[in-house]
């Protein structure tokens, strides 16, 4: 049982069904049946005396101002800053998790912050966007909705960084208030999601397609993990899938390093770069992360450099009033 001191309940849980002494959570495909005194797979949605509880409402494990490219988002307000909130827990069990200290554990340091305080912080620092990130944000959907509705009222953009593993009703509810999402598409295998990650493959695809249908700005990230998804066939399948939705969706290929319970060697940078080059035959924008590489954005018409990047330093001189400075084409970038 978590040893944190919880404040009084500030919000009733959503997607919770109470029957007798059991609580069933319908937020994600795990459909956890939670015994009295326990929590679901995510570690944050629980049962106290036969009542659904969300005692981690407002618990923030990290609060920082980041360059938006760190999310990673390259086509949404490039060069801007974003206020990033981290949480605790996750509804997946990825053995290679790079943030496992907060995603696979809820007995961590942090502080309780009300939604209004988050919005006030962004306004006070003149930061145009808020990211819900670091560990899985959607398992805290009640807090997200309260923050996101308030942020929208004050003209602040909402960014979700998520595994996308929530059921349709929850996805619709939260995507209504999202301006941008970066979705982790960890594999293109139903078996891998089920056997290694504890998630549902089709649910993630449905989330991506729903976000696109609802006109939310989308970027997709795949951590390329040796002995899991680092095969040419699987990564080609992901590129084909993204292209089938929209070839202009940016795809971030990120290098893995050994972490948590996965001890395969780090991703080979040469393999990552070759995969990116192959994907560029199908997708307009492909980027590589966690290795030294060029991640500039080029015009799809004249090939002029629109956005130049050196780490998190961004040069927008290739754009004039949001258009290509050379040919005048309007790129698929949200300003």
């Amino acid at each position: 049982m978590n040893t944190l001191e919880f404040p009084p309940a500030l919000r009733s849980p959503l997607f919770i069904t109470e029957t007798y002494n059991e609580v069933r959570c319908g937020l994600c495909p795990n459909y956890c049946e939670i015994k009295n005194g326990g929590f679901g797979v995510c570690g944050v949605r629980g049962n106290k005396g036969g009542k659904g509880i969300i005692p981690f409402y407002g618990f923030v494990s990290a609060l920082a101002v980041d360059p938006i490219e760190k999310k990673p988002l390259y086509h949404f307000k490039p060069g801007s800053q974003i206020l990033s909130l981290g949480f605790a827990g996750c509804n997946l069990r990825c053995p290679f998790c790079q943030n496992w200290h907060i995603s696979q554990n809820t007995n961590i340091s942090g502080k309780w912050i009300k939604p209004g305080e988050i919005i006030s912080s962004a306004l006070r620092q003149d930061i145009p966007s808020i990211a819900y990130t670091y560990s899985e944000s959607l398992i805290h959907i009640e807090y997200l909705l309260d923050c996101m509705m308030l942020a929208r009222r004050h003209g602040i953009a909402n960014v979700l960084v998520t595994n996308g593993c929530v059921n349709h009703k929850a996805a619709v509810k939260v995507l209504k208030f999202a301006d941008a999402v970066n979705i982790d598409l960890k594999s293109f295998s139903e078996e891998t999601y089920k056997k290694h990650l504890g998630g549902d493959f089709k649910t993630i695809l449905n989330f991506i397609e729903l976000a696109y249908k609802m006109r939310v700005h989308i970027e997709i990230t795949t951590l390329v993990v040796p002995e899991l998804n680092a095969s040419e066939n699987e990564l080609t399948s992901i590129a084909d899938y993204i292209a089938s939705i929209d070839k202009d969706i940016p795809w971030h290929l990120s290098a893995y390093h050994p972490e948590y319970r996965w001890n395969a060697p780090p991703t080979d940078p040469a393999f990552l770069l070759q995969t990116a080059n192959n994907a560029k035959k199908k997708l307009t924008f492909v980027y590589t992360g966690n290795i030294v590489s060029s991640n500039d954005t080029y015009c799809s018409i004249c090939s002029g450099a629109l956005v130049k990047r050196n780490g998190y330093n961004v040069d927008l001189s290739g754009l004039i009033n949001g258009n290509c400075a050379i040919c005048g084409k309007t790129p698929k970038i949200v300003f």
Side-chain angles (χ1 to χ4, degrees):
M1 180 66 70
N2 199 287
T3 58
L4 290 168
E5 290 294 325
F6 297 117
L10 296 175
R11 181 77 142 84
S12 298
L14 300 171
F15 306 105
I16 290 281
T17 304
E18 298 163 355
T19 53
Y20 300 106
N21 205 37
E22 269 194 354
V23 164
R24 183 178 175 89
C25 181
L27 178 66
C28 83
N30 286 312
Y31 289 107
C32 293
E33 295 183 357
I34 309 169
K35 303 287 187 184
N36 184 25
F39 287 87
V41 167
C42 65
V44 300
R45 305 176 70 79
N47 177 347
K48 183 176 181 180
K51 298 291 183 182
I53 56 169
I54 45 169
F56 286 88
Y57 177 97
F59 180 77
V60 175
S61 62
L63 184 65
V65 177
D66 292 325
I68 199 164
E69 286 76 17
K70 195 175 182 180
K71 296 306 95 189
L73 285 175
Y74 281 9
H75 289 235
F76 187 81
K77 300 183 182 294
S80 68
Q81 291 186 314
I82 190 164
L83 184 64
S84 300
L85 283 74
F87 301 98
C90 186
N91 56 344
L92 297 188
R93 288 293 175 264
C94 305
F96 49 81
C97 182
Q98 310 287 281
N99 288 325
W100 65 272
H101 301 87
I102 58 173
S103 71
Q104 305 303 312
N105 183 19
T106 56
N107 196 12
I108 58 177
S109 61
K111 55 185 178 180
W112 310 95
I113 307 178
K114 294 178 181 179
E117 295 175 280
I118 297 296
I119 308 310
S120 294
S121 179
L123 290 170
R124 187 170 59 251
Q125 298 176 78
D126 197 25
I127 296 173
S129 311
I130 296 173
Y132 310 92
T133 180
Y134 299 138
S135 67
E136 181 48 47
S137 57
L138 291 178
I139 58 174
H140 301 274
I141 190 169
E142 297 84 0
Y143 185 71
L144 259 60
L145 289 171
D146 289 347
C147 287
M148 293 169 83
M149 285 188 280
L150 194 55
R152 180 157 288 184
R153 216 175 296 159
H154 288 274
I156 299 170
N158 290 305
V159 172
L160 293 174
V161 181
T162 177
N163 61 36
C165 195
V166 292
N167 292 328
H168 180 78
K169 286 184 179 180
V172 169
K173 203 171 186 68
V174 77
L175 286 171
K176 284 180 181 177
F177 298 97
D179 298 284
V181 291
N182 187 298
I183 304 161
D184 285 325
L185 184 52
K186 300 171 186 288
S187 169
F188 209 71
S189 163
E190 191 167 354
E191 181 182 0
T192 297
Y193 263 96
K194 186 176 182 180
K195 181 179 178 181
H196 292 291
L197 313 181
D200 183 74
F201 176 53
K202 291 180 181 177
T203 297
I204 284 84
L205 300 189
N206 289 340
F207 187 90
I208 293 170
E209 292 159 25
L210 179 64
Y212 184 78
K213 181 179 178 182
M214 293 180 68
R215 300 179 182 275
V216 179
H217 174 80
I218 301 172
E219 302 193 25
I220 292 174
T221 297
T222 300
L223 186 71
V224 178
V225 182
E227 301 175 18
L228 183 95
N229 65 1
S231 71
E232 184 177 342
N233 286 344
E234 182 161 357
L235 295 169
T236 297
S237 295
I238 295 177
D240 287 338
Y241 170 72
I242 297 171
S244 73
I245 301 172
D246 188 335
K247 66 183 180 63
D248 289 334
I249 293 175
W251 187 27
H252 300 265
L253 289 160
S254 191
Y256 140 98
H257 63 267
E259 193 64 81
Y260 194 34
R261 296 174 177 172
W262 202 262
N263 295 314
T267 310
D268 178 5
F271 175 76
L272 200 70
L273 290 170
Q274 184 59 53
T275 301
N277 287 334
N278 291 339
K280 286 175 183 176
K281 299 170 185 175
K282 304 175 181 187
L283 299 171
T284 313
F285 306 107
V286 183
Y287 303 103
T288 52
N290 293 340
I291 64 169
V292 177
S293 62
S294 174
N295 277 317
D296 297 342
T297 298
Y298 296 95
C299 178
S300 60
I301 300 299
C302 71
S303 300
L306 301 172
V307 183
K308 296 179 181 179
R309 300 181 180 88
N310 182 9
Y312 294 128
N313 295 317
V314 176
D315 177 359
L316 300 173
S317 60
L319 293 159
I320 297 176
N321 297 324
N323 299 322
C324 176
I326 297 173
C327 72
K329 166 75 174 179
T330 303
K332 295 287 184 75
I333 298 176
V334 178
F335 292 97

